[in-house]
Each structure stands twice: as structure tokens, then as C-alpha cells.
DNA sequence: GAAGAATGTTGGACTTGATTCAAATTTGTC
DNA sequence: GACAAATTTGAATCAAGTCCAACATTCTTC
């Protein structure tokens, strides 16, 4: 029995549960420390059993860091939106900037959490890696064979540019400042480091 | 009562225990999977209690990944060895190449383990970050104030270059091939990505 | 070299994240 | 309403990591 959203009850409930768990977790962790909040508490607060929680998230960190179910599709459309004839480097910049924009809302909270909890900071890197994997696959089609090193390096360097901007950025600066920093970094990395 | 090594008995025993634990762990993990080897087994094989094991290593991953006690000092001397007037980029390349050379022996085993065990692969990144932190501190002195963005970006890009080489490298290729790849990556990243 | 201080080691109890599984519940379909 | 498929659940279990008080070893001092 489908409704206006085009989803069955089952699917809608699933999304609601996902949201309930994430919301409960963020609310609890916002007050106390990440490590001080137990899975039982989160499950309790989300009105779900601990077992179910693991049906939705692979780990405690994932509850905070996992992209929303819609996000990956969004990323792909970001990549597909890039014109064929655009420079690899220009595409990479555009995709990265678009990428962080997809969760500009969560970004401030997440960065704050990460500065406090090393556990979270560590597994964030794992997440960046997941995005990078998608990027790589996407690049693989565009890159002429024989340029694997160049393509891989470009992807990683773009990641470094973005990471640099993110590191230097403070949540208090506001989101636009992050974009500005990112653009600066991409420009500089694009120029290279050999010349003074 | 000091001996020829200049270390007291206490210090010597400590190093021996550290080595015993790492050796036991690597030996066990070399046969079975990382996750299939329990801390109890490692402690047992190293002839030490589980509690003691945690006196030496902060986590299970650390047993495999921690740098040898001497290593950090080695890194610092690598950095200090760079001539004052060398380009930042050239210094970064030299330090990175020297860095991986310090554990060229472990490198093959470690990379093999990492391809099998995601757990290990994840926490490797955390280790790279530690080295990067040291680098940053070192750079901070050299970089003229006002160029924080540039310095941070250079460090991260150098890391990206090294990571790219490492990713594309296969343990079967031998260590020299890794060096070769690294040089190529540094050269390309140094040139930048704006020009075709 | 004996006594005492400092440093390490140990076992055991405990917390918590994560896995497994069969029974119970809910949703979709005819 | 009845049956099949997908979800949820509690309970049992495992392993990583922490804490702590008792014990052992090394270092220092006289």
C-alpha cells in the first residue's frame, strides 16, 4: 500500500527508525561525551532494542558518521553533473565542494564532537575513504588508460586540499568560510609546490 | 648497574618485553587472521599477562602498528638533517622517503596484513596522522608566519603523494619500486594539476 | 648487602561494544 | 483472513579494554 511518498509502510518505518536512532544518539552525545554514552542508552532513547540498532548501523561511530540514506545517490549525481570536457582538477574541486555542502548542517556539530572525542576523529578518516573510493571509480572511466598514477594522485591531492581547509576551519567561522578556504587550497594545490 | 648498552636492567627488560609481545603477535597473525587472534593468545605466547600487554600497547592494533621505540627519535633526526635553505617541498619529499625507509623491513608484512584486515587498515591512518603531527610541528618553525595555509597544505599534499605511491605499490614489487613511485608522485604533485 | 622506595607485573572482577540465533511480531500479498 | 517475507527482539556469548589491590622485581641508599 503505497502513499504519496512512493514508499511502502515498511520502507517508511525503516527510515523513521534510522532517523530516530541517529537523533537520539546526537541528542545524547551533544550533552555528554561520545564515549560516555552507551549503546543501551541510545537504543533505549530511540525506543528500539540494542540488536535492532546493529541492524541499522555497523558500529557506534557509524551512528554519528554514516551518511544519510539519500546522500550516496546525491554524490553520484554530483559527479555525473560534471561536463565531459571539464579539467579533472576542476571537476574534483567542484565535486568536493558539492560534497561537503550536502551536510553543511551536520558539519558544525560533527567537527565539535570530533575535536573532543578521538574515537570519532579516527573513524572519520574511514568515512572520507569511502567517499574517495566512489570518486576513484568515477574517475576510472574518465581517465585514459596509462594515467592511473596521475588520476589516483589527483584524487588524493584533492582530498588533501579539502582536508587542509577542513582542518584550518573553525566551526565558529561559519560554513562560507570553509568554502573560501577550500577554494584557496584547491587553487594552490593546482599550481603545485615546486615554484616559490 | 649499567652495562655496555648504557641501559639499566629495568630498561633492557622493558625493551625485551616490548619486542616479545610484538614478535609473538606478528608470528600468530602471520598464520591466522588479525581478528582471529585474541589478546589472551598473544599474551600467552609472549609469556606475559594480558594486563601487562596493555602496559606496553594502547590497543590490539597498536601491537602491530606502533613504531619501534627508537623510531620517533629517528624521524626527528631525519627532519633535523634537512638543510636550512632547501625548498619546503624538497624537504617534505626527503623526509617522507626517509620515513618509510626506516621500516622497509616491516612494510611488506604490514601491507599484506592490511589488505586482509579492514580493522588494521583503518587504524593505520591514525598512525600516519601521528607522523604528520610531528611534521607539522617541525614545519611550524620553518614557515614564515602568515603562510599557515600554505604550510599545512604542503604537508597534506606530501602525505597524499606518499599515500598514492603506497596505494599503487604492491608488496611483490619490492621496496625500490615503492621509492620510484613515490618520486614520481612527488614530482607530479610538485608541478601541480592546473596545467594539462 | 640489607632495608626501603620506586617501578612493574599479575589475576580477577567489571564494563561495554559486537555477534549469533531462534522465537515472536509486523508488513505485504492474494 | 491466511500465508510468506521481512523485522524486531531478548538472551546467551565473546572479546577488547579498564580498574585495582596484592605481589615481585629493580634501584637507591646507607
Amino acid at each position: 500500500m503505497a502513499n504519496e511518498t512512493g514508499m511502502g509502510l515498511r520502507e517508511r518505518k525503516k527510515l523513521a527508525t534510522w532517523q530516530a536512532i541517529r537523533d537520539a544518539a546526537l541528542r545524547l552525545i551533544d550533552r555528554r561525551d561520545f564515549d560516555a554514552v552507551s549503546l543501551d542508552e541510545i537504543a533505549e532513547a530511540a525506543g528500539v532494542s540494542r540488536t535492532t540498532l546493529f541492524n541499522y548501523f555497523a558500529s557506534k561511530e557509524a551512528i554519528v558518521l554514516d551518511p544519510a540514506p539519500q546522500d550516496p545517490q546525491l554524490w553520484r549525481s554530483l559527479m555525473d553533473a560534471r561536463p565531459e570536457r571539464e579539467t579533472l582538477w576542476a571537476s574534483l574541486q567542484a565535486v568536493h565542494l558539492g560534497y561537503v555542502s550536502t551536510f553543511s548542517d551536520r558539519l558544525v556539530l560533527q567537527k565539535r564532537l570530533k575535536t573532543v572525542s578521538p574515537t570519532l576523529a579516527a573513524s572519520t578518516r574511514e568515512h572520507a575513504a569511502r567517499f574517495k573510493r566512489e570518486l576513484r571509480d568515477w574517475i576510472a572511466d574518465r581517465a585514459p588508460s596509462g594515467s592511473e598514477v596521475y588520476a589516483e594522485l589527483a584524487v588524493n591531492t584533492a582530498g588533501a586540499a579539502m582536508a587542509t581547509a577542513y582542518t584550518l576551519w573553525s566551526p565558529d567561522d561559519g560554513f562560507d568560510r570553509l568554502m573560501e578556504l577550500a577554494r584557496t587550497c584547491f587553487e594552490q594545490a593546482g599550481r603545485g609546490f615546486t615554484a616559490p
Side-chain angles (χ1 to χ4, degrees), chain A:
Chain A
M1 185 156 299
N3 75 341
E4 61 216 42
T5 76
M7 294 188 286
L9 172 56
R10 192 163 267 168
E11 204 171 348
R12 265 180 292 144
K13 270 203 168 179
K14 215 168 173 177
L15 229 153
T17 308
W18 188 93
Q19 201 68 45
I21 297 174
R22 159 157 284 170
D23 287 351
L26 288 186
R27 194 155 27 79
L28 286 170
I29 294 171
D30 195 24
R31 296 182 219 172
R32 321 216 304 285
D33 197 50
F34 177 77
D35 298 299
V37 176
S38 80
L39 283 175
D40 291 278
E41 282 180 284
I42 297 175
E44 164 84 31
V48 97
S49 84
R50 214 174 68 257
T51 312
T52 299
L53 199 150
F54 276 104
N55 277 341
Y56 284 84
F57 297 94
S59 68
K60 191 181 176 187
E61 288 86 13
I63 302 178
V64 175
L65 298 176
D66 262 7
Q70 321 76 306
D71 282 4
Q73 192 186 352
L74 210 81
W75 303 343
R76 273 186 290 277
S77 62
L78 266 174
M79 297 179 199
D80 294 339
R82 291 293 98 206
E84 277 290 342
R85 329 180 20 257
E86 193 177 45
T87 313
L88 174 60
W89 187 247
S91 292
L92 283 171
Q93 170 166 4
V95 171
H96 270 91
L97 294 194
Y99 169 59
V100 295
S101 300
T102 59
F103 48 88
S104 56
D105 51 333
R106 275 182 283 151
L107 216 61
V108 173
L109 173 60
Q110 278 192 11
K111 172 126 192 183
R112 200 167 59 66
L113 291 182
K114 278 185 257 178
T115 57
V116 174
S117 160
T119 318
L120 264 186
S123 66
T124 298
R125 267 172 271 275
E126 200 40 34
H127 270 70
R130 191 195 303 187
F131 175 67
K132 206 177 272 183
R133 231 170 290 137
E134 296 233 28
L135 250 185
R136 242 187 295 261
D137 292 345
W138 173 66
I139 293 286
D141 298 334
R142 305 184 34 141
S145 77
S147 67
E148 286 80 14
V149 179
Y150 181 84
E152 175 80 14
L153 182 62
V155 171
N156 285 341
T157 304
M162 196 65 234
T164 305
Y166 183 71
T167 302
L168 296 174
W169 173 68
S170 155
D172 305 329
D173 295 342
F175 183 70
D176 288 345
R177 171 68 182 141
L178 174 62
M179 290 290 109
E180 193 185 322
L181 271 168
R183 271 185 219 101
T184 307
C185 288
F186 269 93
E187 199 183 317
Q188 174 63 58
R191 273 204 299 276
F193 297 89
T194 311

